[in-house]
Amino acid sequence: MTTRRATLGGHTHEFADLRALLAAATPERSGDVLAGVAARSEQERVAAQTVLADLPLATFLDEQVVPYEDDEVTRLIVDSHDPEAFAPVASMTVGGFREHLLDPTTDTTALAPGLTPEMVAATSKLMRLQDLIAVGRRTPVVTAFRSTVGLPGTMATRLQPNHPTDDPAGVTASIVDGLLLGCGDAVIGINPATDSPQRTTDLLHLIDEVRTRYDIPTQSCVLAHVTTSIEIMERGAPVDLVFQSVAGTEAANTGFGVTLAMLREAHEAARSLDRGTVGTNCMYFETGQGSALSADAHHGVDQQTLEARAYAVARAFDPLLVNTVVGFIGPEYLYDGKQITRAGLEDHVCGKLLGAPMGVDVCYTNHAEADADDTDALLTLLGAAGCSFVICVPGGDDVMLHYQSLSFHDALYARQVLGLRPAPEFEAWLTTMDMLDGEGRLRDLPAGAVRTLTAGVR
């Protein structure tokens, strides 16, 4: 344990270990205050950032924020580190690495296997929003299953047709609504109201029937627990993507009822189904700042650093999709629109630097100090930052999970204003369905096309 010091304004600030330094250097958020690890003043935060900027990147290979012997996530991070990929930046400090990432000639994607979550989290703590946007935009992570996600100049969408009782007609109506507005190229993904194997299988068959009827180049996912997915794959269910929420510590993942061994089993099972057409990425992970703290499994580490560690879990399984549900846990962890905005951009760039195909659920709970202006702003910033995909629900209001997210119309806005396109396979399908004009803009559909897509919806 190494104590580090900085003198600022005649006062010496001490940081007992690497955890304390990282936490104190983090821009303010309510979760760190709740955990008792936040900087006690702005002066202390600046002092911590000053120390952090001069810290050698290699320090993170020698000092672990969660002990190696106590945590399988730490063991995964350490044991999978690639010294060769790290070599070009091995002599840099955290501050120097920030400058390196901002250099437009730097190949940020090649560094991913050599970076640890703590390295990228530390660097992001020194970045302004414009830095996060610039680095995120230049760090594409491309994955594929039936559609290709993450290509520069594209922004895909998860069509989320949740229903409070999993009613098939309600779910199908929401799917059709999203398709008519050009959404669904990342995944058609349902949060089920119940995690039963039979309900999960029924919903998968529902999506698969819509997908195959209209030959839609996308993938389905019912966001059941990974053990449920393993069980129904053994029974022959049409599983495209296996889903699981993951966190940055072994103890937090235990709270989710999951281990790395379970994820390996699920990954192997999904790969063996060979349901992809343009790629084999078949896992889908969701994360969110504050999940480890809410499970009392944070080990005294700040929530943003732990969030970055969750991306190390995700990248180990070559996922098609990873997204942070940035405002979903509540104001206890991200208090207002300002904190949610920064967290969304931090998560996006940290995930990408680690090689994770990052999307963001731009959302907030109704008791947070946030509103639709905040989601509009974050969506626009993420579009500029090259975000791989966002999540959209009918009307921007999830009637099953009871939180505010983006609407299908919001995705249209971002694509139109920022000149972004859907995934190429999905865009070709939209064109075949006569839903796009020659400039790639969604247009008013002829009545016949609407009747075709809505046939069978009751």
Side-chain angles (χ1 to χ4, degrees), residues 45-197:
R45 182 170 288 112
V46 171
Q49 291 173 344
T50 300
V51 174
L52 189 61
D54 292 334
L55 193 72
L57 273 185
T59 303
F60 297 100
L61 300 178
D62 300 325
E63 298 182 41
Q64 304 304 322
V65 296
V66 182
Y68 181 93
E69 59 275 12
D70 296 341
D71 188 271
E72 69 173 355
V73 176
T74 300
R75 292 193 289 274
L76 173 67
I77 293 166
V78 173
D79 295 347
S80 62
H81 180 255
D82 185 341
E84 185 175 342
F86 181 59
V89 296
S91 63
M92 294 183 185
T93 63
V94 174
F97 183 53
R98 170 187 171 274
E99 296 300 319
H100 182 66
L101 291 175
L102 290 170
D103 183 337
T105 65
T106 296
D107 182 359
T108 52
T109 57
L111 295 170
L115 301 178
T116 70
E118 292 83 358
M119 291 177 190
V120 299
T123 307
S124 73
K125 296 175 195 296
L126 304 181
M127 289 182 168
R128 297 171 56 183
L129 294 189
Q130 66 176 251
D131 299 339
L132 296 169
I133 293 167
V135 175
R137 186 177 181 86
R138 292 193 298 100
T139 312
V141 179
V142 181
T143 55
F145 190 77
R146 290 193 193 94
S147 60
T148 304
V149 180
L151 289 168
T154 68
M155 186 181 71
T157 55
R158 169 182 160 190
L159 196 170
Q160 183 169 295
N162 293 350
H163 191 279
T165 63
D166 293 333
D167 177 69
V171 170
T172 305
S174 292
I175 292 173
V176 171
D177 186 24
L179 292 172
L180 289 171
L181 289 166
C183 291
D185 44 341
V187 64
I188 300 174
I190 302 173
N191 297 91
T194 172
D195 198 46
S196 76

Side-chain angles (χ1 to χ4, degrees), residues 376-410:
D376 283 350
L378 180 53
L379 170 63
T380 306
L381 295 174
L382 287 166
C387 185
S388 296
F389 71 101
V390 294
I391 293 178
C392 300
V393 303
D397 185 359
D398 192 300
V399 296
M400 196 277 281
L401 293 175
H402 303 294
Y403 76 114
Q404 308 306 305
S405 187
L406 299 176
S407 72
F408 305 135
H409 300 81
D410 293 331

Side-chain angles (χ1 to χ4, degrees), residues 258-346:
V258 66
T259 65
L260 298 183
M262 286 181 191
L263 297 178
R264 281 191 287 270
E265 179 184 356
H267 185 216
E268 291 168 5
R271 285 287 297 271
S272 72
L273 298 180
D274 194 27
R275 291 176 58 84
T277 56
V278 296
T280 59
N281 302 110
C282 56
M283 301 293 283
Y284 177 16
F285 296 107
E286 281 192 338
T287 66
Q289 288 194 29
S291 59
L293 175 58
S294 67
D296 194 24
H298 60 99
H299 297 272
V301 183
D302 70 272
Q303 65 184 42
Q304 192 249 335
T305 298
L306 291 180
E307 174 71 2
R309 284 169 57 96
Y311 306 144
V313 174
R315 72 173 175 180
F317 301 98
D318 299 321
L320 176 75
L321 307 170
V322 180
N323 72 259
T324 172
V325 191
V326 69
F328 181 70
I329 303 182
E332 298 84 1
Y333 306 96
L334 295 169
Y335 180 73
D336 57 14
K338 180 179 176 66
Q339 292 187 12
I340 291 170
T341 296
R342 180 169 179 95
L345 290 167
E346 287 171 347

Side-chain angles (χ1 to χ4, degrees), residues 155 157 178-185 214-217 412 415 421-437 440-443 445-446 449 453:
M155 186 181 71
T157 55
L179 292 172
L180 289 171
L181 289 166
C183 291
D185 44 341
Y214 303 113
D215 196 25
I216 307 170
L412 281 180
R415 284 173 174 167
R421 310 295 282 258
E425 300 85 358
F426 193 79
E427 183 175 41
W429 176 79
L430 291 172
T431 301
T432 299
M433 296 294 290
D434 201 26
M435 294 167 67
L436 294 182
D437 65 16
R441 294 185 296 257
L442 199 71
R443 63 182 174 192
L445 289 180
L453 275 173

